[in-house]
Amino acid sequence: MSSIDRRLEINVERFKADFDTLSQIGATNNDGVHRPALSQNHLKARAWFRERVKAADLVFQVDQAGNHSAILPCQKNANTTLLIGSHLDSVPYGGRFDGALGVLAALETLRVINECNINVPINLEAIDFTDEEGTLVNFMGSFALTGKLDKEGLDNPRGGRKELENGLNRAGLAKSDILDARREPKTLAGYLELHVEQGPRLERAGADIGVVSSIAGISSYHVKFIGREDHAATIPMDDRLDAGLGASAFYLAAHQLVLRNYPECYVNVGNICYEPASFNIVPRKATLSLEFRAPNSELMQHLRDALINKAKDAAEEHKLGIEIELLGDCAPATMDEQVQELIVSSADHLGLKSLSLRSGPGHDAQAFADLCPTGMIFAPSIAGASHSPREKTSWNDCVNSANVLFRTTLQFISSKL
Ligand SMILES: [Zn+2]
């Protein structure tokens, strides 16, 4: 640490100007943004990012998965890279901080290091990952880069095949090349990410900075209940094969199961799609979008088995067929202890109160945790609002957390000197 100038900080005015400009791309009239992955709005944000990278005299790069990067190469041709990332895509009609804060703080970190001519013993790369939110393919960019995406995942995207094809066409990407974005793990020196907390714990604890200890595992499934369509007014109530009943019974059972037996876990049914879908037809098919999360692998497996059993029970009870299709799986991830210490000491240096916490939401950092030293910094979310235009982080907290990312990066690279 002694070699790091104690006064170095990010350029707050430039960071704010960037944040305000980016917030206008895909802006909604209620202070949110609508930038689903590979939509026109998202591609506009990426085009703007590319210009900012070029204006900063950094090397710009796009890989086969569409990940956009600003690179500050090591003067001595190092063959390892510290990645600092997040994402510029948003959920539909989401907030302006989720992902964007991390990408802009990463870019600002590289700019300041470049301007100050700081000795960089490894390559530094600020990266905007494709589709972190999983609108088309869950973690498409970071999973492709780390070799965690496979052909099956691309052939069966959770956002729909046609939607993926359209998005890739808009972005000028080829599905057949995406897996080539994989990098050799030995080239990854580490991964850092700043993100908003998306929950209320930092605010409630009066803490300025979250130091993430682990990220919950996430699985997503389509659960299909299959019955028989019938006239809603002629088939007796006790003689129906109503797919909607199976779906509803499972939904309630899953909710109760997690509430009663899995206090550290989450389950969500984000959608139920009926076929046919009409007032006067008993639905033949009901497809549920199911997602669940657990903090460690053992609980994850336990919960998975329990939910699948509940789904089968619901089908049996209502005399329905059932199909269960895995759409995406992301293992729980533990953050590197030394990187956590660097984050804590960076926050201490800046006089900020830090708090260790687990992340329920998934992040690109998950893809890297088993490959290289990985760490995540959280900025407080006001009232914990997230995936909503209400999402907000005070500007003071944005600046503080970006400075913690900057200082953690300096410490990380100085440990490599
Ligand atoms: Zn995010």
Side-chain angles (χ1 to χ4, degrees), residues 353-406:
K353 183 181 168 188
S354 61
L355 178 75
S356 173
L357 77 184
R358 284 205 294 242
S359 174
H363 294 287
D364 292 308
Q366 255 164 304
F368 291 89
D370 63 339
L371 300 177
C372 59
T374 297
M376 270 200 94
I377 299 158
F378 273 174
S381 295
I382 294 173
S386 177
H387 284 187
S388 150
R390 290 183 292 109
E391 172 185 289
K392 196 166 176 7
T393 292
S394 77
W395 183 245
N396 198 30
D397 285 333
C398 290
V399 171
N400 285 339
S401 58
N403 270 319
V404 170
L405 176 73
F406 171 61

Short mmCIF file of all heavy atoms in Angstrom, two decimals, residues 353-406:
data_model
loop_
_atom_site.label_atom_id
_atom_site.label_comp_id
_atom_site.label_asym_id
_atom_site.label_seq_id
_atom_site.Cartn_x
_atom_site.Cartn_y
_atom_site.Cartn_z
N LYS A 353 -17.84 3.04 6.44
CA LYS A 353 -18.21 1.87 7.24
C LYS A 353 -18.61 0.73 6.30
O LYS A 353 -19.52 0.89 5.48
CB LYS A 353 -19.38 2.24 8.15
CG LYS A 353 -19.80 1.12 9.09
CD LYS A 353 -20.99 1.56 9.94
CE LYS A 353 -21.60 0.36 10.65
NZ LYS A 353 -22.85 0.66 11.33
N SER A 354 -17.94 -0.39 6.42
CA SER A 354 -18.27 -1.52 5.54
C SER A 354 -18.96 -2.64 6.31
O SER A 354 -18.84 -2.74 7.54
CB SER A 354 -17.01 -2.04 4.84
OG SER A 354 -16.07 -2.49 5.79
N LEU A 355 -19.68 -3.45 5.58
CA LEU A 355 -20.44 -4.55 6.17
C LEU A 355 -20.31 -5.76 5.25
O LEU A 355 -20.51 -5.65 4.04
CB LEU A 355 -21.91 -4.14 6.29
CG LEU A 355 -22.88 -5.18 6.85
CD1 LEU A 355 -22.71 -5.30 8.36
CD2 LEU A 355 -24.34 -4.79 6.54
N SER A 356 -20.00 -6.91 5.85
CA SER A 356 -19.92 -8.15 5.06
C SER A 356 -21.33 -8.69 4.87
O SER A 356 -22.12 -8.73 5.82
CB SER A 356 -19.05 -9.16 5.82
OG SER A 356 -19.10 -10.41 5.16
N LEU A 357 -21.67 -9.09 3.66
CA LEU A 357 -23.02 -9.63 3.43
C LEU A 357 -23.05 -10.58 2.24
O LEU A 357 -22.17 -10.55 1.39
CB LEU A 357 -24.06 -8.51 3.30
CG LEU A 357 -24.21 -7.67 2.04
CD1 LEU A 357 -25.25 -6.59 2.27
CD2 LEU A 357 -22.94 -7.03 1.61
N ARG A 358 -24.06 -11.44 2.24
CA ARG A 358 -24.24 -12.38 1.13
C ARG A 358 -25.16 -11.74 0.10
O ARG A 358 -26.05 -10.97 0.44
CB ARG A 358 -24.90 -13.66 1.63
CG ARG A 358 -23.94 -14.55 2.38
CD ARG A 358 -24.41 -15.99 2.31
NE ARG A 358 -25.65 -16.20 3.02
CZ ARG A 358 -25.79 -17.01 4.07
NH1 ARG A 358 -24.74 -17.66 4.51
NH2 ARG A 358 -26.93 -17.18 4.64
N SER A 359 -24.94 -12.11 -1.16
CA SER A 359 -25.82 -11.59 -2.21
C SER A 359 -26.86 -12.64 -2.59
O SER A 359 -26.51 -13.77 -2.93
CB SER A 359 -25.01 -11.22 -3.45
OG SER A 359 -25.89 -10.85 -4.49
N GLY A 360 -28.13 -12.26 -2.53
CA GLY A 360 -29.20 -13.12 -3.04
C GLY A 360 -29.23 -13.06 -4.56
O GLY A 360 -29.23 -14.10 -5.23
N PRO A 361 -29.25 -11.84 -5.13
CA PRO A 361 -29.25 -11.74 -6.59
C PRO A 361 -27.97 -12.32 -7.20
O PRO A 361 -26.91 -12.26 -6.60
CB PRO A 361 -29.31 -10.23 -6.84
CG PRO A 361 -29.85 -9.64 -5.59
CD PRO A 361 -29.40 -10.54 -4.48
N GLY A 362 -28.08 -12.84 -8.40
CA GLY A 362 -26.92 -13.35 -9.12
C GLY A 362 -26.18 -12.20 -9.79
O GLY A 362 -26.74 -11.14 -10.07
N HIS A 363 -24.89 -12.42 -10.02
CA HIS A 363 -24.06 -11.41 -10.69
C HIS A 363 -23.03 -12.10 -11.56
O HIS A 363 -22.70 -13.26 -11.34
CB HIS A 363 -23.35 -10.54 -9.64
CG HIS A 363 -24.29 -9.72 -8.82
ND1 HIS A 363 -24.95 -8.62 -9.32
CD2 HIS A 363 -24.70 -9.85 -7.55
CE1 HIS A 363 -25.71 -8.11 -8.38
NE2 HIS A 363 -25.60 -8.84 -7.30
N ASP A 364 -22.47 -11.32 -12.50
CA ASP A 364 -21.43 -11.88 -13.36
C ASP A 364 -20.26 -12.43 -12.55
O ASP A 364 -19.57 -13.35 -13.00
CB ASP A 364 -20.94 -10.81 -14.34
CG ASP A 364 -22.01 -10.43 -15.36
OD1 ASP A 364 -22.55 -11.35 -16.01
OD2 ASP A 364 -22.32 -9.24 -15.51
N ALA A 365 -20.04 -11.85 -11.35
CA ALA A 365 -18.92 -12.31 -10.51
C ALA A 365 -19.00 -13.81 -10.24
O ALA A 365 -17.97 -14.47 -10.04
CB ALA A 365 -18.92 -11.53 -9.19
N GLN A 366 -20.21 -14.35 -10.23
CA GLN A 366 -20.40 -15.78 -9.99
C GLN A 366 -19.62 -16.64 -10.98
O GLN A 366 -19.14 -17.71 -10.64
CB GLN A 366 -21.88 -16.12 -10.17
CG GLN A 366 -22.60 -16.35 -8.88
CD GLN A 366 -24.09 -16.29 -9.10
OE1 GLN A 366 -24.61 -15.31 -9.62
NE2 GLN A 366 -24.77 -17.33 -8.70
N ALA A 367 -19.56 -16.16 -12.20
CA ALA A 367 -18.91 -16.94 -13.26
C ALA A 367 -17.41 -17.07 -13.02
O ALA A 367 -16.78 -18.00 -13.50
CB ALA A 367 -19.18 -16.28 -14.61
N PHE A 368 -16.83 -16.11 -12.28
CA PHE A 368 -15.38 -16.06 -12.14
C PHE A 368 -14.87 -16.68 -10.85
O PHE A 368 -13.69 -16.98 -10.73
CB PHE A 368 -14.92 -14.59 -12.20
CG PHE A 368 -15.09 -13.98 -13.55
CD1 PHE A 368 -16.28 -13.37 -13.91
CD2 PHE A 368 -14.08 -14.07 -14.50
CE1 PHE A 368 -16.46 -12.83 -15.18
CE2 PHE A 368 -14.24 -13.53 -15.76
CZ PHE A 368 -15.43 -12.92 -16.10
N ALA A 369 -15.75 -16.84 -9.85
CA ALA A 369 -15.31 -17.17 -8.49
C ALA A 369 -14.50 -18.46 -8.41
O ALA A 369 -13.60 -18.56 -7.59
CB ALA A 369 -16.50 -17.24 -7.56
N ASP A 370 -14.78 -19.43 -9.27
CA ASP A 370 -14.01 -20.68 -9.19
C ASP A 370 -12.79 -20.66 -10.11
O ASP A 370 -12.06 -21.64 -10.19
CB ASP A 370 -14.90 -21.89 -9.51
CG ASP A 370 -15.44 -21.85 -10.94
OD1 ASP A 370 -15.49 -20.75 -11.53
OD2 ASP A 370 -15.81 -22.91 -11.46
N LEU A 371 -12.56 -19.55 -10.80
CA LEU A 371 -11.45 -19.48 -11.75
C LEU A 371 -10.32 -18.55 -11.33
O LEU A 371 -9.17 -18.76 -11.70
CB LEU A 371 -11.97 -19.04 -13.13
CG LEU A 371 -13.02 -19.94 -13.79
CD1 LEU A 371 -13.47 -19.34 -15.10
CD2 LEU A 371 -12.46 -21.34 -14.01
N CYS A 372 -10.67 -17.48 -10.60
CA CYS A 372 -9.64 -16.50 -10.23
C CYS A 372 -10.13 -15.73 -9.00
O CYS A 372 -11.31 -15.77 -8.68
CB CYS A 372 -9.40 -15.53 -11.40
SG CYS A 372 -10.87 -14.62 -11.92
N PRO A 373 -9.21 -15.02 -8.29
CA PRO A 373 -9.63 -14.24 -7.13
C PRO A 373 -10.73 -13.24 -7.53
O PRO A 373 -10.53 -12.43 -8.43
CB PRO A 373 -8.36 -13.51 -6.70
CG PRO A 373 -7.24 -14.32 -7.28
CD PRO A 373 -7.77 -14.91 -8.55
N THR A 374 -11.87 -13.33 -6.87
CA THR A 374 -13.04 -12.56 -7.27
C THR A 374 -13.62 -11.82 -6.08
O THR A 374 -13.72 -12.39 -4.99
CB THR A 374 -14.10 -13.52 -7.88
OG1 THR A 374 -13.54 -14.13 -9.04
CG2 THR A 374 -15.38 -12.81 -8.23
N GLY A 375 -14.00 -10.56 -6.29
CA GLY A 375 -14.59 -9.79 -5.20
C GLY A 375 -15.68 -8.86 -5.69
O GLY A 375 -15.66 -8.43 -6.85
N MET A 376 -16.64 -8.58 -4.81
CA MET A 376 -17.75 -7.68 -5.16
C MET A 376 -17.96 -6.64 -4.09
O MET A 376 -17.94 -6.94 -2.89
CB MET A 376 -19.05 -8.47 -5.30
CG MET A 376 -19.31 -8.98 -6.68
SD MET A 376 -21.06 -9.36 -6.91
CE MET A 376 -21.66 -7.82 -7.62
N ILE A 377 -18.22 -5.43 -4.55
CA ILE A 377 -18.52 -4.30 -3.66
C ILE A 377 -19.97 -3.91 -3.89
O ILE A 377 -20.40 -3.79 -5.04
CB ILE A 377 -17.62 -3.09 -4.05
CG1 ILE A 377 -16.14 -3.47 -3.89
CG2 ILE A 377 -17.98 -1.85 -3.25
CD1 ILE A 377 -15.21 -2.59 -4.72
N PHE A 378 -20.71 -3.69 -2.80
CA PHE A 378 -22.10 -3.23 -2.94
C PHE A 378 -22.22 -1.78 -2.48
O PHE A 378 -21.63 -1.39 -1.47
CB PHE A 378 -23.04 -4.08 -2.07
CG PHE A 378 -23.54 -5.33 -2.74
CD1 PHE A 378 -24.30 -6.24 -2.01
CD2 PHE A 378 -23.28 -5.60 -4.07
CE1 PHE A 378 -24.78 -7.40 -2.60
CE2 PHE A 378 -23.75 -6.76 -4.68
CZ PHE A 378 -24.50 -7.66 -3.94
N ALA A 379 -23.02 -1.02 -3.23
CA ALA A 379 -23.41 0.33 -2.80
C ALA A 379 -24.84 0.26 -2.27
O ALA A 379 -25.64 -0.52 -2.78
CB ALA A 379 -23.34 1.29 -3.99
N PRO A 380 -25.17 1.04 -1.24
CA PRO A 380 -26.52 0.95 -0.64
C PRO A 380 -27.62 1.32 -1.64
O PRO A 380 -27.46 2.23 -2.46
CB PRO A 380 -26.47 1.99 0.49
CG PRO A 380 -25.03 2.23 0.75
CD PRO A 380 -24.31 2.02 -0.55
N SER A 381 -28.72 0.60 -1.56
CA SER A 381 -29.91 0.89 -2.37
C SER A 381 -30.96 1.53 -1.46
O SER A 381 -31.31 0.94 -0.44
CB SER A 381 -30.49 -0.40 -2.96
OG SER A 381 -29.59 -1.00 -3.85
N ILE A 382 -31.45 2.69 -1.83
CA ILE A 382 -32.43 3.37 -0.99
C ILE A 382 -33.71 2.54 -0.92
O ILE A 382 -34.27 2.15 -1.95
CB ILE A 382 -32.71 4.80 -1.51
CG1 ILE A 382 -31.44 5.64 -1.36
CG2 ILE A 382 -33.88 5.45 -0.76
CD1 ILE A 382 -31.51 7.02 -1.97
N ALA A 383 -34.12 2.22 0.31
CA ALA A 383 -35.32 1.39 0.58
C ALA A 383 -35.22 0.01 -0.08
O ALA A 383 -36.21 -0.71 -0.16
CB ALA A 383 -36.60 2.11 0.15
N GLY A 384 -34.04 -0.35 -0.54
CA GLY A 384 -33.84 -1.69 -1.11
C GLY A 384 -34.50 -1.89 -2.47
O GLY A 384 -34.54 -3.00 -2.98
N ALA A 385 -35.01 -0.80 -3.06
CA ALA A 385 -35.75 -0.96 -4.33
C ALA A 385 -34.80 -1.37 -5.46
O ALA A 385 -33.68 -0.88 -5.56
CB ALA A 385 -36.43 0.36 -4.70
N SER A 386 -35.25 -2.32 -6.28
CA SER A 386 -34.43 -2.78 -7.40
C SER A 386 -35.30 -3.40 -8.48
O SER A 386 -36.42 -3.82 -8.22
CB SER A 386 -33.44 -3.82 -6.90
OG SER A 386 -32.68 -4.34 -7.96
N HIS A 387 -34.76 -3.50 -9.69
CA HIS A 387 -35.51 -3.98 -10.85
C HIS A 387 -36.82 -3.20 -10.97
O HIS A 387 -37.88 -3.76 -11.22
CB HIS A 387 -35.77 -5.50 -10.76
CG HIS A 387 -34.55 -6.30 -11.08
ND1 HIS A 387 -34.54 -7.67 -11.21
CD2 HIS A 387 -33.27 -5.91 -11.34
CE1 HIS A 387 -33.31 -8.08 -11.51
NE2 HIS A 387 -32.53 -7.04 -11.59
N SER A 388 -36.68 -1.92 -10.77
CA SER A 388 -37.83 -1.02 -10.76
C SER A 388 -37.30 0.40 -11.01
O SER A 388 -36.16 0.70 -10.65
CB SER A 388 -38.48 -1.06 -9.37
OG SER A 388 -39.10 0.16 -9.05
N PRO A 389 -38.12 1.26 -11.60
CA PRO A 389 -37.68 2.65 -11.77
C PRO A 389 -37.45 3.34 -10.42
O PRO A 389 -36.80 4.38 -10.35
CB PRO A 389 -38.84 3.32 -12.52
CG PRO A 389 -39.65 2.20 -13.07
CD PRO A 389 -39.44 1.02 -12.18
N ARG A 390 -37.97 2.76 -9.33
CA ARG A 390 -37.78 3.36 -7.99
C ARG A 390 -36.35 3.14 -7.48
O ARG A 390 -35.96 3.74 -6.48
CB ARG A 390 -38.76 2.75 -6.99
CG ARG A 390 -40.21 3.14 -7.21
CD ARG A 390 -41.10 2.54 -6.14
NE ARG A 390 -41.18 1.10 -6.24
CZ ARG A 390 -40.63 0.23 -5.40
NH1 ARG A 390 -39.96 0.66 -4.34
NH2 ARG A 390 -40.75 -1.07 -5.58
N GLU A 391 -35.63 2.26 -8.16
CA GLU A 391 -34.26 1.95 -7.74
C GLU A 391 -33.43 3.24 -7.63
O GLU A 391 -33.42 4.04 -8.55
CB GLU A 391 -33.68 1.03 -8.81
CG GLU A 391 -32.21 0.72 -8.68
CD GLU A 391 -31.77 -0.10 -9.89
OE1 GLU A 391 -32.15 -1.26 -9.97
OE2 GLU A 391 -31.12 0.47 -10.78
N LYS A 392 -32.74 3.40 -6.51
CA LYS A 392 -31.95 4.62 -6.34
C LYS A 392 -30.81 4.39 -5.35
O LYS A 392 -30.97 3.69 -4.35
CB LYS A 392 -32.84 5.76 -5.84
CG LYS A 392 -32.22 7.13 -6.01
CD LYS A 392 -33.29 8.20 -5.81
CE LYS A 392 -32.87 9.59 -5.85
NZ LYS A 392 -31.79 10.23 -6.14
N THR A 393 -29.67 4.98 -5.67
CA THR A 393 -28.53 5.01 -4.75
C THR A 393 -28.12 6.47 -4.67
O THR A 393 -28.06 7.14 -5.71
CB THR A 393 -27.37 4.13 -5.29
OG1 THR A 393 -27.79 2.77 -5.24
CG2 THR A 393 -26.11 4.30 -4.48
N SER A 394 -27.89 6.98 -3.45
CA SER A 394 -27.56 8.41 -3.35
C SER A 394 -26.26 8.66 -4.12
O SER A 394 -25.40 7.77 -4.22
CB SER A 394 -27.37 8.81 -1.88
OG SER A 394 -26.12 8.36 -1.41
N TRP A 395 -26.13 9.86 -4.66
CA TRP A 395 -24.94 10.15 -5.46
C TRP A 395 -23.68 10.03 -4.61
O TRP A 395 -22.63 9.54 -5.06
CB TRP A 395 -25.05 11.52 -6.13
CG TRP A 395 -23.85 11.74 -7.00
CD1 TRP A 395 -22.89 12.67 -6.85
CD2 TRP A 395 -23.46 10.92 -8.13
NE1 TRP A 395 -21.91 12.50 -7.81
CE2 TRP A 395 -22.24 11.44 -8.61
CE3 TRP A 395 -24.01 9.81 -8.77
CZ2 TRP A 395 -21.57 10.89 -9.69
CZ3 TRP A 395 -23.33 9.26 -9.85
CH2 TRP A 395 -22.13 9.80 -10.30
N ASN A 396 -23.78 10.41 -3.36
CA ASN A 396 -22.65 10.29 -2.44
C ASN A 396 -22.20 8.83 -2.34
O ASN A 396 -21.00 8.52 -2.38
CB ASN A 396 -23.11 10.81 -1.06
CG ASN A 396 -21.93 11.12 -0.18
OD1 ASN A 396 -20.86 11.48 -0.67
ND2 ASN A 396 -22.11 10.93 1.12
N ASP A 397 -23.14 7.92 -2.23
CA ASP A 397 -22.81 6.49 -2.15
C ASP A 397 -22.23 5.97 -3.47
O ASP A 397 -21.38 5.08 -3.48
CB ASP A 397 -24.03 5.66 -1.75
CG ASP A 397 -24.36 5.80 -0.27
OD1 ASP A 397 -23.43 6.07 0.51
OD2 ASP A 397 -25.54 5.65 0.09
N CYS A 398 -22.72 6.51 -4.59
CA CYS A 398 -22.16 6.13 -5.90
C CYS A 398 -20.68 6.48 -5.95
O CYS A 398 -19.84 5.67 -6.35
CB CYS A 398 -22.88 6.84 -7.05
SG CYS A 398 -24.57 6.29 -7.31
N VAL A 399 -20.37 7.71 -5.53
CA VAL A 399 -18.98 8.18 -5.57
C VAL A 399 -18.13 7.37 -4.59
O VAL A 399 -17.03 6.90 -4.93
CB VAL A 399 -18.91 9.69 -5.25
CG1 VAL A 399 -17.46 10.14 -5.08
CG2 VAL A 399 -19.60 10.48 -6.35
N ASN A 400 -18.62 7.20 -3.37
CA ASN A 400 -17.86 6.43 -2.36
C ASN A 400 -17.55 5.02 -2.85
O ASN A 400 -16.43 4.53 -2.73
CB ASN A 400 -18.64 6.34 -1.05
CG ASN A 400 -18.60 7.65 -0.28
OD1 ASN A 400 -17.71 8.48 -0.50
ND2 ASN A 400 -19.55 7.84 0.62
N SER A 401 -18.56 4.37 -3.40
CA SER A 401 -18.34 2.97 -3.80
C SER A 401 -17.42 2.90 -5.01
O SER A 401 -16.61 1.97 -5.13
CB SER A 401 -19.68 2.28 -4.07
OG SER A 401 -20.40 2.97 -5.07
N ALA A 402 -17.51 3.89 -5.90
CA ALA A 402 -16.60 3.90 -7.05
C ALA A 402 -15.16 4.13 -6.58
O ALA A 402 -14.22 3.53 -7.11
CB ALA A 402 -17.01 4.99 -8.04
N ASN A 403 -15.00 4.97 -5.55
CA ASN A 403 -13.64 5.17 -5.01
C ASN A 403 -13.13 3.91 -4.32
O ASN A 403 -11.93 3.63 -4.34
CB ASN A 403 -13.62 6.36 -4.05
CG ASN A 403 -13.30 7.66 -4.79
OD1 ASN A 403 -12.44 7.67 -5.68
ND2 ASN A 403 -14.00 8.72 -4.45
N VAL A 404 -14.03 3.16 -3.70
CA VAL A 404 -13.60 1.89 -3.09
C VAL A 404 -13.16 0.91 -4.19
O VAL A 404 -12.14 0.24 -4.07
CB VAL A 404 -14.72 1.27 -2.22
CG1 VAL A 404 -14.35 -0.15 -1.78
CG2 VAL A 404 -14.97 2.14 -0.99
N LEU A 405 -13.90 0.88 -5.30
CA LEU A 405 -13.51 0.01 -6.42
C LEU A 405 -12.14 0.44 -6.96
O LEU A 405 -11.25 -0.39 -7.20
CB LEU A 405 -14.54 0.08 -7.55
CG LEU A 405 -14.17 -0.72 -8.80
CD1 LEU A 405 -14.30 -2.23 -8.55
CD2 LEU A 405 -15.05 -0.33 -9.99
N PHE A 406 -11.98 1.74 -7.13
CA PHE A 406 -10.72 2.29 -7.64
C PHE A 406 -9.55 1.90 -6.73
O PHE A 406 -8.52 1.38 -7.18
CB PHE A 406 -10.87 3.82 -7.74
CG PHE A 406 -9.60 4.55 -8.05
CD1 PHE A 406 -8.91 4.31 -9.23
CD2 PHE A 406 -9.10 5.49 -7.15
CE1 PHE A 406 -7.74 5.00 -9.52
CE2 PHE A 406 -7.92 6.17 -7.43
CZ PHE A 406 -7.24 5.92 -8.61
#
